[in-house]
Amino acid sequence: MPRIQHSIHISCPPAIVFEVTNDIDRWTELFDAYLHSEVLTREDSGRFSKLTFRLRTEGFDWRSWRILDHRDLVAISAREEPLYPFLYMHLRWTYRPERDGTLMTWTQDFEVDPGHSVSGAAMKEWMDEHGYKNQQRIKLMLESSDFVTRR
């Protein structure tokens, strides 16, 4: 099972990093590939929230679910439909206090559908680079007081 994991230190409190990076409606600002992001359903139950949402990139559109643990600052997510080009895609994001801010870690476990034209190794390489670039992008945005105050 391929796994990608990235961590980055962000000079911003964990609760703010968690809130902003799990605001699906802002993902078109936060991530470079999303052309559209939309929360379809949201259920809040004390410590937890469950969201279903739709994302669109150039040529791809899919639905996922996400569970947010507001106390421990953990988000777990999975792609629902269509799964293709994956057999599965599971994500876990954690936010830990570190020095003057947050250590944000993204872990993605996935497997590429063998019928897809891109190999698992090539997909892992692309996703690894893409994840790293997006964490750098988010770090710059969150460390900009202008971006955080617009939330």
Side-chain angles (χ1 to χ4, degrees):
M1 149 174 67
R3 170 173 276 185
I4 294 171
Q5 189 167 61
H6 297 102
S7 294
I8 193 165
H9 179 269
I10 299 173
S11 295
C12 198
I16 291 174
V17 178
F18 179 84
E19 178 186 338
V20 171
T21 58
N22 285 291
D23 183 351
I24 307 296
D25 293 327
R26 291 188 80 179
W27 279 16
T28 56
E29 291 177 78
L30 292 171
F31 295 91
D32 62 2
Y34 296 135
L35 302 175
H36 179 77
S37 58
E38 173 186 11
V39 174
L40 303 172
T41 65
R42 181 181 181 109
E43 301 170 41
D44 294 308
S45 180
R47 167 182 172 181
F48 298 100
S49 295
K50 180 179 182 187
L51 298 87
T52 57
F53 57 97
R54 181 161 302 286
L55 297 171
R56 185 172 58 241
T57 62
E58 186 85 28
F60 294 98
D61 185 300
W62 68 95
R63 189 180 74 216
S64 296
W65 59 261
R66 190 171 197 85
I67 296 176
L68 305 176
D69 179 337
H70 298 277
R71 186 188 74 198
D72 289 345
L73 303 181
V74 173
I76 60 170
S77 187
R79 186 169 171 145
E80 282 188 318
E81 63 178 53
L83 282 173
Y84 190 82
F86 302 99
L87 295 177
Y88 63 87
M89 168 65 75
H90 301 160
L91 301 96
R92 179 179 176 86
W93 294 4
T94 61
Y95 306 79
R96 302 284 178 247
E98 181 186 75
R99 298 187 313 272
D100 65 338
T102 303
L103 180 66
M104 180 176 70
T105 301
W106 294 349
T107 304
Q108 291 179 260
D109 295 310
F110 64 95
E111 189 170 344
V112 176
D113 188 301
H116 189 49
S117 61
V118 176
S119 72
M123 182 70 83
K124 181 177 180 180
E125 183 178 326
W126 181 86
M127 289 173 58
D128 195 39
E129 180 181 325
H130 183 74
Y132 174 78
K133 285 181 182 177
N134 276 304
Q135 279 195 336
Q136 294 294 321
R137 175 186 173 101
I138 289 168
K139 174 183 174 66
L140 289 172
M141 288 179 176
L142 285 172
E143 290 179 352
S144 160
S145 60
D146 178 48
F147 183 83
V148 173
T149 56
R150 287 188 294 132
R151 58 187 175 97

